[in-house]
Amino acid sequence: MKIFTTKQIAAIDKFTVENEPIADIDLMERASLQMTNWIVQQFSTEERLLFFAGPGNNGGDALAMARQLADLDYQCEVYLLDFGKALKGSPAINYKRLEEQGKVKLTKLRSENDFPQIADTDVLIDGLFGSGLSRPLEGLPAQLVQHINQLLNAVVAVDIPSGLMGENNAENNLENIIRADYTLTLQFPKISFLFRENEQFVGQWEVLPIGLHPDGIRETPSPYSFADAADIAARLPLRTKFDHKGTFGHALLIAGSYGKMGAAVLASKACLRAGAGLLTAHVPHMGFPIIQTAVPEAMASIDQHDSMFTSFPDLTPYAAIGVGPGLGLKRNSCRALCDLFDEAKIPMVIDADALNILAENEKWLEKLPEGSVLTPHPGEFRRLVGETTDSYDAVQKQIAFAKKYNCVVVLKGAHTSVAAPDGTLCWNSTGNSGMGTAGSGDALTGIILGLLAQGMASFDAALVGVYLHGLAGDMVAKKRSEFALMAGDIIETLGKAFLKIQKVS
């Protein structure tokens, strides 16, 4: 699913009005009905709904919702910010409709003295300011936001929490942003919703479709997207009746060191579960009995050193290489990794200690084989690119890094982002906090390696791997809880995740 900046969304709104065609007030009514239906499913008529509205379209949505919900026997009150100017356009029409309906108490807020008394059970609907906001809130709006944030009431934001920018909030005043429990965003998630530091404002967010014109969506270019099941299903490799292990690719995994052979085992199992036809795991001599016993389906290549990575086999048979899980940072391993970069001409998945070695040897980045996939967590990413001011800045540096070194960068997190060399970036929509557990990253490395070995393009392999990894984690969490989730559970559930995606196609 393509996602857009707030300015682009406004343009698609305008395109819809002009080309559906539909009047602006009717499009607002359609959007408001979607949010009204959500409110009805979440809250009872015994709870009083207090609507805080601004003078723009976000306020117009709130006014329409108040009227709709009052017709459904909800106790609604509207508090409209009054800056001394008359409402215009659709907000003015909706305010007049409320007056004519006569079911909703209407109050204009001109100072702090006008703020209402709020009971503990009241539900607060934030419709003060929308995604068109271009500067931090101040004055009376900021005072009202701070007042609402001090309360313990449930807060529902219309489209976007008031005060939050749709993309970059580096220059924003975070004290003057609504802290919503729920955000009902229209048609697309806002880019800022996908960043860790904004969870405190957005709360749980849900995308509500409002029927924006498909041609407007299709014709508006965007480097950003949000992974959904249909997109992932379309990227899965096709299998035919006469395919065999030779056509599903031979993967080489270089992993493990003394005390860290578990990483090699997990990555190996994940690679095979992801569909690789053959896997050779290159491990230190002491790891030979471990890998042969724990993963009998894998072949073993034995390093000349007893406890660390110092060499690698002839690369001719392999379709893709994975390196890093449990590798260690010894000098001999660093030297061997440099030699591997010099010799490899096939896509690589680079993770964990291999990333840390790269971060200490920046010139080696020029050696990366075309189609390589780097899978850093935030700490490893900062070691590669330097410090970042916030998640928006991190994403920009991720895109720049992928373009500079002609590679795919997977920045792991709650909404893992996958950046391609062409400057496009996709956020993942699956996964949960239970996946923040030992070995989860090793499993992801193995999954992406297995998909690469089958001949998938690097960006596709990374995106599909991330999605399936998260989907399997979600399926485990529903069964065992996020607390009890382990990396091995993710690997064992990959088959069910594949089946679920295949049903979409």
Side-chain angles (χ1 to χ4, degrees):
M1 174 177 67
K2 290 166 69 176
I3 57 176
F4 303 94
T5 66
T6 52
K7 288 184 178 179
Q8 288 178 309
I9 294 172
I12 296 171
D13 283 347
K14 183 179 179 182
F15 184 97
T16 301
V17 168
E18 294 173 350
N19 292 275
E20 185 169 331
I22 183 174
D24 182 76
I25 185 64
D26 294 328
L27 182 59
M28 182 174 287
E29 190 76 5
R30 192 157 76 192
S32 300
L33 276 170
Q34 288 284 352
M35 291 183 282
T36 289
N37 290 336
W38 187 93
I39 293 289
V40 168
Q41 294 173 26
Q42 298 295 322
F43 302 104
S44 74
T45 54
E46 296 178 359
E47 295 165 296
R48 189 172 62 152
L49 307 180
L50 305 189
F51 292 80
F52 294 89
N57 282 345
N58 198 253
D61 289 335
L63 297 174
M65 290 170 65
R67 169 175 45 79
Q68 294 163 0
L69 286 159
D71 278 338
L72 297 173
D73 297 325
Y74 280 83
Q75 306 170 62
C76 299
E77 298 182 8
V78 166
Y79 296 88
L80 176 68
L81 280 175
D82 185 0
F83 297 109
K85 298 180 180 179
L87 294 177
K88 296 180 180 179
S90 296
I93 294 172
N94 273 321
Y95 192 82
K96 184 178 180 181
R97 288 177 176 177
L98 271 175
E99 289 182 315
E100 293 172 348
Q101 182 195 50
K103 294 182 178 180
V104 177
K105 176 185 175 182
L106 302 174
T107 302
K108 294 186 176 181
L109 304 179
R110 298 183 176 91
S111 72
E112 284 188 87
N113 296 330
D114 298 324
F115 292 174
Q117 292 293 318
I118 299 175
D120 293 342
T121 57
D122 292 341
V123 178
L124 313 183
I125 313 297
D126 163 37
L128 294 170
F129 297 95
S131 58
L133 194 69
S134 59
R135 61 179 186 273
L137 296 183
E138 56 186 19
L140 183 62
Q143 293 169 355
L144 179 56
V145 165
Q146 291 176 14
H147 176 68
I148 291 173
N149 285 344
Q150 291 173 0
L151 304 171
L152 299 179
N153 300 68
V155 178
V156 180
V158 173
D159 195 33
I160 187 171
S162 292
L164 185 68
M165 309 296 182
E167 294 85 43
N168 186 4
N169 283 272
E171 304 299 324
N172 207 344
N173 185 341
L174 304 187
E175 296 299 318
N176 296 340
I177 302 174
I178 282 286
R179 297 175 183 268
D181 298 289
Y182 308 95
T183 297
L184 308 181
T185 194
L186 304 175
Q187 194 73 45
F188 314 101
K190 308 301 180 284
I191 290 171
S192 59
F193 292 5
L194 305 173
F195 300 148
R196 175 185 54 82
E197 57 267 26
N198 296 330
E199 181 182 19
Q200 60 183 317
F201 309 118
V202 179
Q204 298 179 38
W205 54 271
E206 185 163 345
V207 178
L208 302 180
I210 60 171
L212 294 184
H213 203 295
D215 290 345
I217 296 171
R218 183 176 58 253
E219 293 172 11
T220 302
S222 175
Y224 303 122
S225 58
F226 190 60
D228 57 32
D231 181 44
I232 298 302
R235 296 173 189 266
L236 283 179
L238 298 176
R239 295 195 163 201
T240 67
K241 180 178 180 179
F242 293 98
D243 283 335
H244 52 83
K245 65 183 180 182
T247 59
F248 297 143
H250 191 168
L252 172 65
L253 174 68
I254 300 172
S257 60
Y258 184 77
K260 298 180 180 179
M261 281 303 300
V265 170
L266 289 168
S268 295
K269 288 184 175 181
C271 177
L272 290 164
R273 283 287 184 206
L278 295 164
L279 169 66
T280 294
H282 181 85
V283 297
H285 192 275
M286 51 72 56
F288 171 69
I290 297 173
I291 201 73
Q292 289 283 264
T293 303
V295 195
E297 299 89 349
M299 294 176 284
S301 167
I302 310 305
D303 197 279
Q304 61 190 5
H305 198 282
D306 188 59
S307 62
M308 71 179 76
F309 164 54
T310 64
S311 62
F312 50 88
D314 175 24
L315 302 180
T316 304
Y318 305 110
I321 303 169
V323 60
L327 204 67
L329 302 172
K330 300 295 186 181
R331 184 177 301 176
N332 287 349
S333 298
C334 296
R335 186 180 299 113
L337 184 63
C338 182
D339 293 341
L340 180 66
F341 289 146
D342 284 332
E343 189 166 330
K345 306 301 179 186
I346 53 178
M348 298 178 67
V349 186
I350 304 166
D351 185 34
D353 286 332
L355 292 173
N356 292 325
I357 293 171
L358 267 179
E360 294 296 321
N361 300 274
E362 185 178 348
K363 291 183 179 180
W364 296 2
L365 289 166
E366 302 290 348
K367 302 172 181 283
L368 294 178
E370 183 177 353
S372 290
V373 180
L374 280 62
T375 60
H377 60 54
E380 293 163 343
F381 183 73
R382 286 192 295 271
R383 286 191 280 274
L384 283 170
V385 306
E387 291 299 319
T388 57
T389 55
D390 57 17
S391 297
Y392 181 82
D393 181 46
V395 163
Q396 303 312 308
K397 289 181 176 176
Q398 178 187 3
I399 294 172
F401 188 98
K403 293 170 69 174
K404 180 177 180 179
Y405 295 109
N406 193 31
C407 63
V408 174
V409 181
V410 177
L411 180 52
K412 293 183 282 195
H415 290 290
T416 293
S417 51
V418 182
D422 64 1
T424 57
L425 181 138
C426 184
W427 281 276
N428 187 39
S429 58
T430 60
N432 60 82
S433 64
M435 299 176 69
T437 186
S440 180
D442 303 322
L444 177 61
T445 296
I447 294 168
I448 297 175
L449 174 60
L451 295 171
L452 272 180
Q454 294 171 72
M456 290 186 69
S458 298
F459 181 80
D460 289 348
L463 185 57
V464 170
V466 166
Y467 188 95
L468 285 169
H469 182 254
L471 179 59
D474 288 341
M475 296 171 81
V476 173
K478 287 182 179 179
K479 182 178 180 181
R480 296 187 174 178
S481 83
E482 294 181 10
F483 292 96
L485 191 156
M486 294 173 60
D489 300 330
I490 297 172
I491 297 167
E492 293 306 312
T493 311
L494 269 178
K496 293 180 179 179
F498 270 111
L499 289 173
K500 188 170 184 178
I501 292 302
Q502 288 175 317
K503 288 179 180 178
V504 175
S505 60

